[in-house]
Amino acid sequence: NRIINDIAQAELKYFEQNDDFLYVYETDNDGILNKTYKIIYESKTTAPLFLVETDHGKLRIIDGERRYRAHKLLADRYGEVWKMVPGQRFRRGELTEDDISFMLNALNIGQRAMTQSERARGFAAVADRLLKQRKADPKSSDGRRIADIMAEQYGVSPRTANVEINIGRNLTEEGM
């Protein structure tokens, strides 16, 4: 994903599932977990998880929670070999909360079901990061507008990207 090139790349390793993993969702209301399970089982591959260490030594899943849970289901059904999950681990303090928010949004827009406000906030977070990157390196956007870059990345029109960015920036905590 070229949109997250500016995030530090951690070494890819395989992690054994254990109680050190923290994840948020316990339900599968949209049926995606079952689809993820089937895709991983049939292809025998999975994209790496993005993990960050917490202050308590646990690993917080930034991206890939459904892949992680699908591997747990596969391990329960087909054995220990499915417990090994590829992941990129970031050390505590290596990523800021803004980095984490950016990665989560950049990787999930268009990939999973989101509320309209989550999507708009995601567009705003990614756009703000791209603007920051462009200020640091004006050549990074090849002279293109941020909305055009995001439209190409997420398969929407530049106008839709711009609307999403503006809505996301204008949302308040109460509006979520």
Side-chain angles (χ1 to χ4, degrees):
N1 188 330
R2 76 183 260 277
I3 231 169
I4 62 168
N5 286 344
D6 65 326
I7 297 293
Q9 293 297 308
E11 182 181 351
L12 179 64
K13 295 184 178 179
Y14 282 84
F15 294 90
E16 185 169 356
Q17 297 174 7
N18 57 44
D19 291 335
D20 288 340
F21 283 85
L22 299 176
Y23 55 95
V24 179
Y25 303 105
E26 292 289 339
T27 61
D28 184 29
N29 295 336
D30 54 9
I32 299 291
L33 180 60
N34 192 40
K35 291 175 189 170
T36 304
Y37 170 96
K38 287 178 182 176
I39 290 168
I40 292 171
Y41 180 73
E42 290 170 3
S43 70
K44 308 292 189 256
T45 62
T46 187
L49 310 176
F50 285 116
L51 310 162
V52 66
E53 289 179 359
T54 67
D55 291 337
H56 306 294
K58 302 241 183 209
L59 294 173
R60 178 176 154 203
I61 299 172
I62 298 172
D63 183 65
E65 185 173 322
R66 286 193 180 107
R67 294 187 304 273
Y68 173 79
R69 291 185 352 194
H71 269 268
K72 283 185 78 162
L73 292 173
L74 287 163
D76 290 346
R77 185 162 187 186
Y78 297 110
E80 297 291 310
V81 69
W82 289 101
K83 280 193 169 188
M84 300 305 288
V85 183
Q88 289 184 307
R89 177 184 192 161
F90 296 92
R91 304 278 177 223
R92 187 169 47 94
E94 188 175 354
L95 298 175
T96 66
E97 283 301 316
D98 284 344
D99 291 336
I100 292 169
S101 173
F102 172 73
M103 289 176 73
L104 180 63
N105 286 298
L107 294 166
N108 282 299
I109 293 173
Q111 300 298 317
R112 70 169 181 87
M114 297 178 138
T115 65
Q116 289 178 325
S117 61
E118 284 178 318
R119 180 178 162 94
R121 283 248 197 232
F123 266 81
V126 173
D128 291 345
R129 182 56 172 265
L130 291 174
L131 282 171
K132 183 178 174 183
Q133 182 178 336
R134 183 167 65 189
K135 284 180 183 175
D137 178 12
K139 294 179 182 179
S140 66
S141 61
D142 299 326
R144 296 174 24 193
R145 295 178 336 125
I146 298 300
D148 292 337
I149 294 170
M150 293 187 64
E152 178 184 314
Q153 180 71 30
Y154 298 116
V156 298
S157 72
R159 183 179 186 285
T160 299
N162 205 36
V163 167
E164 293 280 3
I165 292 164
N166 289 329
I167 290 171
R169 287 180 178 152
N170 290 318
L171 279 175
T172 62
E173 291 300 318
E174 300 90 43
M176 292 185 66

